[in-house]
């Protein structure tokens, strides 16, 4: 049978015939049983639902009678259990449970980027609703299950809107969203969706008005400002920018010509296989074909924004960087405060549960490593497909090869004409009468797209006849014999060589020298490194001849051309000198930028360094081989940039090699740089046997330094690997000196030390001083790191609006810095403030956002914190089954490291409180004891304070509860004002003891501190 409770009760036989369950009481009883389909429902709960909190005399007998009549009327199996009754039906036969499953699967599809599937699932889920939920229950709107189902319905609606927005349905959503905003005027997510829908409809001015409406409503109703994310969207619209989305597939500069059949074959292969490799010699257009296939799949063939990730492997110098290149393309970065950890594990976590097409471009020079990583991902992440381009197969079981042939005659001619018109507009009028000559030219070039483009670019200075004659001279040898057997790479080499020969001496000189830039170059860099004054005209000439691509103020070469020109540079004997000049330039750039990363120029310099990260890496590798002391300087100058941008993990092996090249002692005057090199070698989880010796050596060197440090940020990075205790020793104050940013840094560190020691007043004062100094410097990283704990202190005092203001400012800073993991941390803190203030719906939404960000960046620990937060919300709503599911999922997400010890203790506390809510005190005591054991070994006192509060909730005597609450206050420095788990315990103990006795017991516990819970 099928049962509907999302509206008035609806019961149907398998053939769809309706069944009448009877009058109001039987309908209410059946509704209550269906809410827990397949699970036992206690008689007390059923009686409460039928009769309210004061059931009439004989209610138990009446309930038995109602159950008996329901059995006979419906012919369903209602089992009698030890405590109540169980309706033996599958949850999927009940629309409410089916709705929850479909909504959950829809959200998962949405978070993994499968927007069409998400939209379909969510529409199916929402289509199950026929009216108000549980309409047959007496007083239904006030029932907790009704409230929960309504919240889930709204969340599913918002998820469906997100899916529709991602698939281009924005304009049609505007009327619906206006109705939803009117019904839920405090939902910032709905305002954001309405703004995006209006923007998609070309009504950006109205979108700006919606933001003003939201700001007014939030200020009037909550006394709060819009969130940082809503404010950021507002700023984007004001600037006329497209609202931020997932990184897109690169957009080619020219249209793809003549690959319709190949495109269709690639799509067919990807539909059936999970690894497709496009093979062929250089210049056949493998990358261009892969880009077009990826863009088509992202724009509609089962994909959507974020469903494709393009990874360019050509600039990589060694295979160990393949994993990091994929992480970087996915937007996954190392969190500032964490070690880099295992890159492969993080990549697997980031792709877990996602549907994604991963495009690995130019695998041939790293084919073994590319194959290893691709094989690992395909084996572990079943939603991932790989489209690779390579001159040879990856050699993995299940790989399907798709050779990319040269262009057929017709498409080759169209490509030639298209590119010729781009450099010589009048060629379009000539092409028709010279079709035979164009055809013979394309045939001579073997239909290779790159060769055709290079030849067509020559029409700026040559006539078609001159071009044909020169090509005929060049390829006469290749035209003899069976041309179908001629190696096509010889054709490409020949046409590149022919194009090279047609350059003048200055153009050839610059083309060769440009090859020292693996990531392209700015005009300033070209002038400085290539030693050619005013190279603008030469660069323009090389761009016109297809030797160089110019875009966004940078110049770069295609890899095939770069490889040829690099060979010419080596032949000229200039390679070492140019690489020295390249390294010297980027060392100067990094050292110029390093101090600017601590102030108002932070953002532009982060972007400037990021644009040249490939060049900076190449310079560091060159200096590590040729000039290790200079390599130390460059590594030190880049260390803070790597931390802010989360790029330091992939540099560990390079830092280790540099350290080995330098030797056991730092060069004269480079002790700080040497210690920073040691810091950059420590990214794992302590499994390197040489790590303790390196740390001890660096610690001794750091201790020996006297006077102010030249690089005060060393103190922060050292504390991350050496422990905060070292960074807070008194000598450090002398090492920082009077450097304003360094003094702010010391106050930030002191704030955390005071916090860990349970002295919140001193901690808050230190954080406030640090914030003022960071504000003066303009350092967004520093401000965000102060605003987070300052918001926590405001929350502890019950100043929830102030806490949210501080967190919103912090969110604005980390969003600007491009730090998704830290954004998730602040969203979690915001969720905690909302939970303490009783805004459970908004808290749950924030916890879900934090979880999504943590999943995206592959940080399972942060997934665990978000899941635990969702468990807290469910438990406070009275949904203990869902709470337990969230807590258990959080435990699974926890990794075995120092962070998860504290998080695991908090999860155990949540499970214990859940057991208490279900009247299982012995189980609760067991969970609390496990939490206590973990908290005793924690570095700070916060976890121990939470254990004390949990034990107070389970204490059998009010004196014991008061004493444990006092211990919690003593450990943390205060109780959290209005904490929903603590306030009821506090009020109950005070009521039973009286104010005087309560205060006496409370103060006694405060004096005991850690001893009250078994530490000290």
């Amino acid at each position: 049978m099928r049962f509907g409770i999302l509206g008035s009760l609806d019961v149907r036989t398998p053939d769809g015939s309706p069944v009448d369950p009877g009058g109001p009481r039987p309908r209410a009883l059946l509704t209550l049983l269906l809410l827990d389909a397949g699970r036992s429902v206690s008689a007390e709960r059923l009686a409460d639902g039928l009769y309210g909190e004061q059931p009439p005399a004989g209610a138990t007998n009446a309930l038995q009678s109602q159950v008996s009549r329901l059995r006979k009327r419906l012919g369903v199996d209602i089992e009698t259990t030890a405590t109540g009754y169980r309706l033996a039906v599958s949850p999927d036969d009940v629309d409410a449970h089916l709705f929850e499953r479909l909504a959950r699967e829809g959200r998962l599809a949405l978070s993994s980027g499968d927007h069409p599937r998400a939209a379909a699932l969510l529409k199916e889920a929402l289509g199950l609703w026929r009216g108000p939920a549980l309409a047959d229950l007496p007083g239904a709107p006030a029932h907790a299950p009704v409230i929960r189902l309504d919240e889930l319905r709204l969340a599913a609606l918002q998820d469906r809107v997100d899916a529709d927005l991602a698939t281009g349905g924005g304009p049609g959503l505007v009327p619906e969203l206006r109705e939803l905003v009117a019904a839920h005027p405090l939902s910032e997510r709905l305002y954001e969706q309405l703004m995006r829908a209006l923007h998609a409809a070309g009504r950006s001015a109205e979108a700006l008005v919606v933001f003003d409406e939201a700001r007014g409503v939030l200020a009037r109703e909550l006394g709060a400002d819009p969130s940082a994310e809503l404010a950021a969207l507002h700023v984007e619209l004001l600037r006329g920018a497209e609202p931020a989305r997932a990184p897109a597939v690169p957009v080619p500069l020219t249209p793809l010509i003549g690959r319709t059949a190949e495109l269709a074959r690639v799509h067919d292969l990807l539909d059936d296989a999970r690894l497709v490799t496009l093979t062929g010699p250089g210049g056949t257009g493998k990358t261009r074909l892969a880009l077009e296939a990826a863009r088509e799949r992202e724009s509609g063939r089962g994909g959507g924004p974020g469903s494709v990730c393009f990874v360019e492997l050509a600039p990589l110098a060694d295979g160990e960087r393949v994993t990091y290149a994929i992480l970087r393309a996915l937007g996954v970065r190392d969190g500032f405060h964490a070690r880099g950890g295992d890159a492969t594990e993080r990549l697997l976590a980031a792709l877990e549960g996602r549907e994604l097409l991963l495009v690995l471009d130019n695998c041939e020079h790293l084919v073994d490593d590319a194959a290893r990583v691709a094989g690992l991902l395909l084996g572990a992440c079943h939603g991932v497909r790989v489209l690779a381009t390579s001159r040879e197969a990856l050699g993995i079981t299940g790989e399907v090869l798709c050779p990319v042939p040269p262009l057929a005659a017709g498409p080759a001619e169209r490509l030639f004409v298209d590119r010729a018109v781009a450099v010589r507009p009048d060629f379009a009028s000539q092409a028709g009468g010279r079709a035979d000559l164009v055809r013979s030219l394309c045939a001579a070039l073997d239909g290779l797209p790159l060769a055709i483009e290079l030849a067509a670019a020559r029409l700026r200075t040559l006539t078609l006849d001159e071009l044909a004659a020169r090509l005929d001279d060049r390829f006469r040898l290749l035209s003899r014999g069976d041309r179908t057997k001629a190696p096509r790479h010889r054709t490409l080499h020949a046409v590149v060589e022919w194009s090279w020969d047609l350059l003048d001496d200055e153009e050839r000189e610059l083309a060769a020298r440009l090859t020292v830039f693996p990531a392209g170059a700015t005009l300033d860099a070209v002038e400085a490194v290539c030693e050619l004054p005013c190279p603008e005209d030469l660069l323009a000439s090389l761009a016109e001849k297809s030797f160089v691509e110019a875009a966004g103020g940078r110049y770069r070469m295609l890899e095939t051309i770069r490889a040829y020109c690099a060979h010419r540079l080596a032949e000229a004997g200039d390679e070492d000198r140019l690489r020295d000049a390249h390294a010297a330039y980027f060392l100067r750039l990094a050292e110029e930028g390093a101090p600017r990363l601590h102030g108002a120029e932070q953002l532009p310099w982060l972007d400037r360094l990021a644009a040249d990260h490939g060049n900076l890496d190449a310079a560091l590798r060159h200096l590590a081989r040729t000039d290790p002391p200079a390599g130390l300087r460059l590594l030190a100058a880049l260390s803070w940039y790597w931390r802010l941008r989360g790029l330091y993990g992939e540099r560990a092996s390079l830092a280790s090699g540099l350290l080995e090249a330098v030797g056991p002692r730092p060069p004269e005057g480079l002790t700080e740089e040497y210690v920073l090199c040691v810091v950059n070698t420590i990214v794992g989880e302590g499994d390197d046997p040489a790590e303790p010796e390196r740390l001890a050596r660096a610690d001794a060197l750091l201790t020996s330094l006297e006077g102010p440090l030249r690089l005060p940020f060393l103190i922060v990075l050292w504390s991350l690997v050496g422990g905060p205790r070292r960074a807070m020793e008194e000598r450090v104050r002398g090492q920082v000196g009077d450097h304003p940013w360094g003094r702010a840094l010391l106050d930030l560190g002191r704030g955390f030390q005071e916090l860990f020691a349970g002295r919140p007043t001193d901690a808050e004062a230190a954080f406030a001083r640090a914030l003022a100094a960071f504000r003066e410097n303009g350092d967004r990283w520093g401000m965000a790191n102060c605003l987070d704990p300052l918001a926590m202190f405001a929350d502890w005092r019950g100043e929830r609006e102030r806490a949210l203001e501080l967190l919103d400012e912090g969110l604005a800073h980390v969003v600007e810095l491009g730090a998704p993991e830290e954004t998730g941390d602040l969203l979690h803190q915001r969720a905690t403030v909302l939970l303490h203030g009783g805004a459970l719906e908004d808290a749950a939404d924030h916890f879900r956002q934090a979880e999504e960000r943590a999943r995206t960046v592959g940080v399972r620990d942060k997934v665990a914190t978000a899941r635990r937060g969702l468990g807290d919300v469910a438990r406070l709503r009275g949904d203990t089954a869902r709470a337990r599911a969230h807590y258990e999922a959080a435990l699974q997400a926890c990794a075995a490291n120092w962070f998860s010890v504290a998080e695991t203790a908090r999860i155990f506390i949540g499970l214990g409180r859940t057991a208490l809510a279900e009247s299982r005190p012995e189980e609760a005591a067991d969970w609390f004891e496990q939490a206590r054991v973990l908290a005793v070994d924690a570095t700070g006192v916060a976890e121990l304070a939470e254990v004390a509060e949990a034990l107070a909730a389970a204490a059998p005597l009010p004196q014991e509860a008061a004493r444990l609450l006092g211990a919690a206050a003593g450990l943390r420095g205060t109780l959290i004002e209005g904490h929903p788990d603590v306030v009821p315990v506090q009020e109950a103990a005070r009521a039973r003891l009286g104010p005087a006795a309560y205060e006496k017991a409370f103060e006694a516990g405060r004096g005991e501190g850690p001893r009250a819970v078994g530490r000290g």
Side-chain angles (χ1 to χ4, degrees):
M1 297 181 75
R2 307 289 293 182
F3 303 89
I5 56 177
L6 297 178
S8 58
L9 181 64
D10 185 58
V11 183
R12 306 232 168 215
T13 61
D15 66 1
S17 302
V19 179
D20 182 9
R25 284 277 160 75
R27 298 175 74 86
L29 173 61
L30 181 56
T31 299
L32 290 167
L33 291 168
L34 288 168
L35 272 172
D36 284 283
R39 296 197 299 267
S40 177
V41 186
S42 70
E44 290 79 8
R45 244 178 88 193
L46 292 172
D48 286 347
L50 290 173
Y51 304 108
E53 295 182 358
Q54 296 182 335
T60 302
N61 292 333
L63 179 61
Q64 290 174 347
S65 254
Q66 294 282 1
V67 169
S68 178
R69 284 196 293 272
L70 205 53
R71 286 190 185 113
K72 293 176 183 176
R73 193 172 188 104
L74 298 181
V76 294
D77 186 7
I78 304 178
E79 302 170 355
T80 302
T81 67
T83 59
Y85 300 93
R86 173 181 175 272
L87 179 60
V89 298
S90 167
D92 268 1
D93 290 334
V94 184
D95 60 0
H97 300 292
L98 181 59
F99 160 74
E100 289 194 47
R101 179 173 66 78
L102 291 170
R104 186 167 55 250
E105 291 175 0
R107 167 156 285 215
L108 181 62
L110 181 66
S111 65
S112 65
D114 190 349
H115 300 113
R117 182 168 181 267
L121 286 166
L122 292 161
K123 286 173 184 173
E124 183 182 354
L126 292 164
L128 296 170
W129 285 73
R130 296 168 290 105
L134 316 184
D136 290 272
L137 279 185
H143 274 270
V146 176
I147 296 171
R148 187 178 70 82
L149 284 168
D150 286 342
E151 289 174 350
L152 290 174
R153 183 185 192 183
L154 177 60
L157 267 170
Q158 292 170 321
D159 288 344
R160 196 222 76 218
V161 168
D162 275 344
D164 287 344
L165 283 168
T167 53
L173 294 170
V174 172
E176 179 188 11
L177 283 167
R178 287 204 181 277
E179 292 181 7
L180 287 170
V181 166
H184 305 278
L186 300 181
S187 172
E188 291 193 63
R189 186 179 178 190
L190 288 173
Y191 284 116
E192 178 187 350
Q193 290 175 328
L194 177 55
M195 290 168 68
R196 290 188 182 279
L198 287 165
H199 176 78
R203 298 155 64 182
S204 295
E206 291 180 56
L208 297 175
V209 172
V210 168
F211 177 82
D212 289 334
E213 293 171 359
R215 181 164 50 191
V217 170
L218 294 171
R220 187 168 58 254
E221 298 296 329
L222 302 177
D225 291 326
S227 68
E229 292 186 331
L230 193 61
L233 174 59
H234 179 240
V235 170
E236 288 173 359
L237 295 178
L238 281 172
R239 292 174 178 168
E242 187 67 24
R245 295 291 185 192
V249 177
V251 179
L253 300 177
T254 54
L256 182 65
I257 294 175
R259 291 297 191 189
T260 304
E262 288 85 350
L263 263 178
R265 173 158 173 74
V266 172
H267 287 309
D268 289 343
L269 291 175
L270 284 171
D271 288 341
D272 296 330
R274 294 182 56 220
L275 171 60
V276 176
T277 302
L278 307 183
T279 59
T284 55
K286 300 183 295 296
T287 296
R288 189 67 184 80
L289 180 60
L291 277 173
E292 195 66 24
R295 291 179 64 224
E296 286 190 359
R297 293 186 83 84
E298 186 179 48
S299 63
R301 294 183 61 106
S307 62
V308 175
C309 178
F310 183 85
V311 186
E312 187 177 5
L313 300 182
L316 302 189
D318 57 73
E320 71 177 26
R321 305 292 287 280
V322 172
T323 300
Y324 288 106
I326 299 173
L327 286 169
R328 190 164 55 246
L330 287 167
V332 178
R333 297 172 180 173
D334 299 319
F336 187 96
H337 296 284
R339 294 181 175 190
D342 186 276
T344 301
E345 183 63 29
R346 198 159 192 197
L347 178 58
L348 293 176
L351 293 176
E352 185 177 5
R354 289 186 64 178
E355 296 284 337
L356 184 80
L357 175 64
L358 188 65
V359 183
L360 300 179
D361 188 38
N362 289 310
C363 297
E364 52 273 349
H365 66 304
L366 305 169
V367 67
D368 291 339
D369 293 282
R372 174 181 54 79
V373 175
L376 178 67
L377 293 180
L378 291 169
C381 306
H382 301 299
V384 171
R385 294 175 185 270
V386 175
L387 176 61
T389 73
S390 179
R391 296 184 188 182
E392 60 178 295
L394 300 190
I396 302 174
T397 302
E399 178 182 27
V400 176
L401 299 182
C402 181
V404 179
L407 287 171
E413 294 159 33
R414 290 200 302 274
L415 176 64
F416 183 91
V417 172
D418 180 85
R419 302 305 189 256
V421 170
V423 298
R424 189 169 176 174
D426 64 343
F427 186 79
S429 59
Q430 306 172 15
R434 311 302 304 276
D436 290 342
L437 187 53
V438 170
R439 187 176 302 113
S440 66
L441 278 170
C442 293
L445 296 170
D446 277 334
L448 289 171
L450 178 58
I452 290 170
E453 293 193 15
L454 284 169
R458 280 291 164 186
L459 289 177
R460 182 180 293 275
T461 54
L462 300 175
T463 67
L464 189 61
D465 292 306
E466 290 171 333
L467 178 64
R470 291 171 186 248
L471 283 175
D472 186 58
D473 289 342
R474 172 62 62 182
F475 295 125
R476 186 173 293 116
L477 177 63
L478 289 177
S479 65
R480 296 173 184 166
D482 185 356
R483 287 193 52 78
T484 63
K485 296 181 180 178
R488 298 191 185 278
H489 71 271
R490 290 179 59 200
T491 302
L492 182 64
H493 178 86
V495 79
V496 175
E497 186 174 52
W498 167 76
S499 298
W500 168 271
D501 289 343
L502 292 178
L503 300 177
D504 63 33
D505 290 342
E506 285 187 317
E507 290 171 337
R508 282 198 291 265
E509 184 178 36
L510 180 56
R513 293 181 179 186
L514 284 174
T515 62
V516 299
F517 296 98
T522 62
L523 183 62
D524 287 344
V526 172
E527 185 171 3
V529 174
C530 299
E531 302 168 351
L532 293 172
C534 305
E536 298 93 326
D537 291 342
L538 287 175
L539 285 167
S541 179
L542 289 174
E544 290 169 358
K545 295 167 184 176
S546 294
F547 260 69
V548 169
E549 290 182 340
R554 297 182 67 84
Y555 300 87
R556 66 181 294 273
M557 285 180 159
L558 292 176
E559 283 304 306
T560 301
I561 295 175
R562 183 169 173 264
Y564 178 89
C565 295
H567 178 68
R568 292 293 192 170
L569 181 68
E571 284 181 343
D574 285 342
E575 185 176 10
D576 291 342
R577 180 175 61 83
L578 265 294
R579 294 200 182 281
D580 287 344
H582 175 273
Y585 173 83
F586 284 103
L587 173 58
R588 290 194 301 273
L589 179 71
E591 289 188 328
E592 180 185 356
R596 289 172 165 79
L597 296 178
H598 306 304
E601 297 178 90
Q602 190 175 57
L603 294 180
W605 270 95
L606 280 171
D607 291 341
R608 184 170 179 180
L609 294 173
D612 274 310
H613 76 264
N615 287 313
L616 291 163
D617 270 8
L620 185 54
R621 290 177 182 279
H622 179 73
L623 292 175
R625 293 191 302 270
T626 62
D627 189 355
L632 284 179
R633 287 172 52 199
L634 179 55
L635 181 142
L638 292 174
S639 291
W640 192 251
Y641 157 69
W642 289 339
R643 281 283 169 174
L644 288 179
R645 279 292 160 96
L647 302 171
Y648 57 91
E650 60 186 293
R651 272 69 183 180
S653 61
L654 182 54
S656 296
L658 180 57
L659 199 64
E660 186 175 344
V662 171
R665 296 181 179 279
E668 183 68 28
L670 295 178
T671 300
E672 294 174 43
E673 288 80 357
Y674 188 90
V675 173
L676 279 167
C677 190
V678 172
V679 168
N680 280 285
T681 67
I682 312 296
V683 296
E685 297 301 332
D687 54 357
D688 181 356
E691 182 178 306
E693 186 276 330
R694 288 202 304 272
L695 284 173
R697 189 193 331 158
D699 195 30
L701 289 168
L702 193 56
T703 304
S704 70
L705 292 174
E706 296 182 0
L709 298 177
R710 291 175 290 104
L711 308 170
F713 66 86
L714 167 59
I715 299 300
V716 179
L717 301 188
W718 177 249
S719 71
L720 296 176
V721 298
R725 177 191 58 79
R726 289 182 173 93
M728 290 312 300
E729 293 172 0
E730 189 57 36
R731 64 178 171 81
V732 173
R733 302 195 72 82
Q735 290 179 332
V736 168
D738 293 327
H739 192 290
W741 186 85
R743 305 300 289 187
L745 204 59
L746 282 181
D747 276 325
L748 177 63
R750 185 167 297 283
F752 281 111
Q753 288 296 105
E754 300 290 0
L755 175 62
F756 295 153
R759 295 188 288 269
T761 302
D762 293 338
E764 187 169 16
F767 286 126
R769 290 194 303 271
L771 177 61
F774 283 130
R775 281 195 202 281
E776 187 174 348
N777 281 280
D779 181 0
R780 291 161 180 81
W781 171 86
M783 288 188 277
N785 274 273
C786 295
L787 289 161
D788 189 354
L790 287 171
M792 181 184 68
F793 293 130
D795 176 42
W796 288 2
R797 289 192 297 272
E799 299 171 3
R800 306 263 136 74
E801 292 180 8
R802 175 60 178 159
L804 294 175
E805 288 175 3
L806 294 169
L807 288 170
D808 287 347
E809 183 186 347
L811 277 165
H813 294 320
V814 294
V815 167
E816 282 186 311
L817 287 171
E821 185 175 340
E822 287 74 10
T823 301
D825 290 343
L826 288 170
L827 284 170
H828 188 280
Q829 184 74 289
R830 203 175 195 279
T832 302
V833 175
L834 292 166
L835 182 144
H836 288 166
L840 297 184
E841 179 183 350
D842 289 341
D845 186 58
H846 278 66
F847 282 130
R848 283 190 287 266
Q849 290 182 53
E851 180 186 5
E852 288 170 6
R853 279 167 176 77
R855 286 194 186 281
T856 300
V857 298
V859 187
R860 288 193 172 100
D861 292 338
K862 304 298 177 69
V863 171
T865 65
R867 279 286 185 174
R868 190 249 309 161
L870 289 169
D872 291 342
V873 170
R875 178 173 52 77
L876 290 170
R877 283 173 168 164
D879 190 348
T880 54
R882 184 169 296 274
R884 186 178 293 103
H886 282 310
Y887 291 138
E888 289 171 354
L891 279 177
Q892 291 177 356
C894 273
N897 56 38
W898 72 269
F899 175 83
S900 66
V901 170
E903 185 53 40
T904 302
R906 292 189 171 96
I907 296 168
F908 287 164
I909 290 171
L911 285 165
R913 290 190 184 279
T914 302
L916 274 184
E918 295 175 335
S919 301
R920 292 201 300 275
E922 291 182 359
E923 180 187 334
D926 181 59
W927 286 120
F928 292 155
E929 174 58 19
Q930 292 185 63
R932 187 194 67 80
V933 170
L934 291 177
V936 163
D937 294 329
T939 54
V941 294
E943 296 80 18
L944 212 56
E946 292 181 44
V947 169
E949 290 167 340
L951 291 171
L957 298 175
Q959 292 93 338
E960 179 68 5
R963 184 183 68 82
L964 286 164
L965 290 176
L971 288 162
R972 188 190 291 116
T974 183
L975 291 180
I976 298 173
E977 184 71 26
H979 194 300
D981 282 319
V982 175
V983 169
V985 179
Q986 192 176 19
E987 290 177 347
R990 189 186 298 274
R992 293 177 64 187
L993 288 174
Y998 174 85
E999 291 300 329
K1000 181 178 179 181
F1002 186 90
E1003 290 304 321
R1006 185 193 287 272
E1008 289 185 56
R1011 294 190 305 277
V1013 282
R1015 189 171 93 176

